[in-house]
Amino acid sequence: MNGMIIGLTGKNGSGKGEIAKYLQNRGFHYYSLSDVLRDEAAKQGRAVTRDILVELGNRLRSEYGPGVLAEKIFSRLDPEKHYVIDSVRHPSEVQVLRRRADFILASVRAPERLRFERLKQRGRERDPKTFEEFQELEAREAQSAASSDQQLDRTITMADVVLDNTGPLKTLHEKVKEVLLEFSKKEIRPEWDHYFIGIAKVVALRSNCIKRKVAAVIVKDKRIISTGYNGTPRGVKNCNEGGCPRCNAIDASGKGLEECLCSHAEENAIVQSAYHGVNIKDSVLYTTFSPCLMCTKMIINAGIREVVYNIAYSLTAASFQLLKEAGVEVRELSVAPAEESKEIKDMMP
């Protein structure tokens, strides 16, 4: 099964908790957006009641943006794990979670009277005791004139799948199983270009240059044959240990380049292939920054047929012209950082 995040939305007593339990028993990690509110209530020494949680949620959305609860959870998600996320109650929360291609929103529904009877059977102390109280609660949570308040009705309309829960649990579980099997057929894998640029971004983390971290990956027949990152030459003190006087002077970008001791990422990738006797003719070079003029000349003379870069370097106009004249194809590939989530730290008192 591909990576998967199942978001759950729906009215009180619809069965979201039962679906969450079912998924947890099948290896899904559980989060609830309400847990963020429970933590906040605990910090303030307040009782955890439904009314207090709703009030806290509305206040936090108003102060920090309507997607704040989802942002808090989103920052904790590991791309290699499956998750079920309960209590999705605002359209902005859905938008945050949809930044992950492996997210789907499931709406769970059941008739109002049936849901009330389930709450009575559940017997929680703070649940509504009469059907009239239950209806009042439903109306308060369904919609609000304030855009930062809980907007359950609008959220439900955004669901990718709807699960009717009017029968036995076994039937509900079978419906969830069908959703999982259908979603598992979808290919949620990066295309080759994004795959190799993504690897280059990881390679860049090995850079020892204090000015900028850059990396290049040379690929042939969809196979990586060489990598390189910028930094001082082999056997020379690392740039971040004082090995390059120019970088350690923290001069303005573009100045004193002729005095820089750091080798560039593309240069290192090409030289490493030569060092190990690897043929790179007709290969593709993926780089996190477009190449400088010096690296451009090396790319052309090494027989590399295509350059794919993520971010344009400010001093590359001549490089682009030279690559074009030499018949080397050049493409820009815009790729967001590996961790696209906007982690909101220390946003709550």
Side-chain angles (χ1 to χ4, degrees), residues 28 42 58 76 93 103-104 137 141 144 172 180 231 270 315:
F28 281 68
N58 292 343
R76 307 173 191 173
E93 295 167 352
F103 170 79
I104 60 171
L137 173 65
E141 296 186 351
S144 171
L172 178 63
L180 297 181
I270 293 170
L315 303 174

Side-chain angles (χ1 to χ4, degrees), residues 22-49:
Y22 176 84
L23 292 173
Q24 284 180 275
N25 287 334
R26 280 145 186 84
F28 281 68
H29 298 265
Y30 176 82
Y31 279 120
S32 171
L33 300 191
S34 295
D35 289 342
V36 178
L37 302 176
R38 292 187 182 94
D39 291 344
E40 179 64 11
K43 287 180 184 177
Q44 298 181 14
R46 304 177 69 181
V48 180
T49 67

Side-chain angles (χ1 to χ4, degrees), residues 70-87:
E71 292 281 10
K72 276 288 192 180
I73 298 299
F74 192 92
S75 66
R76 307 173 191 173
L77 302 181
D78 186 329
E80 298 180 356
K81 294 178 181 177
H82 301 324
Y83 293 94
V84 53
I85 300 178
D86 199 1
S87 300

Side-chain angles (χ1 to χ4, degrees), residues 80-150:
E80 298 180 356
K81 294 178 181 177
H82 301 324
Y83 293 94
V84 53
I85 300 178
D86 199 1
S87 300
V88 182
R89 295 173 174 271
H90 195 284
S92 292
E93 295 167 352
V94 180
Q95 293 170 1
V96 169
L97 295 170
R98 279 190 173 148
R99 295 207 301 255
R100 285 279 296 263
D102 51 359
F103 170 79
I104 60 171
L105 180 66
S107 169
V108 192
R109 69 184 182 188
E112 189 176 47
R113 180 66 70 170
L114 176 59
R115 291 189 288 105
F116 173 63
E117 292 301 323
R118 287 174 178 166
L119 291 191
K120 286 173 60 179
Q121 292 174 14
R122 186 170 68 182
R124 291 181 183 172
E125 183 179 347
R126 296 183 176 89
D127 281 341
K129 297 300 186 292
T130 68
F131 188 59
E132 289 71 24
E133 291 176 350
F134 176 76
Q135 288 180 311
E136 290 175 5
L137 173 65
E138 295 267 290
R140 289 198 304 271
E141 296 186 351
Q143 57 188 340
S144 171
S147 60
S148 59
D149 284 1
Q150 184 171 293

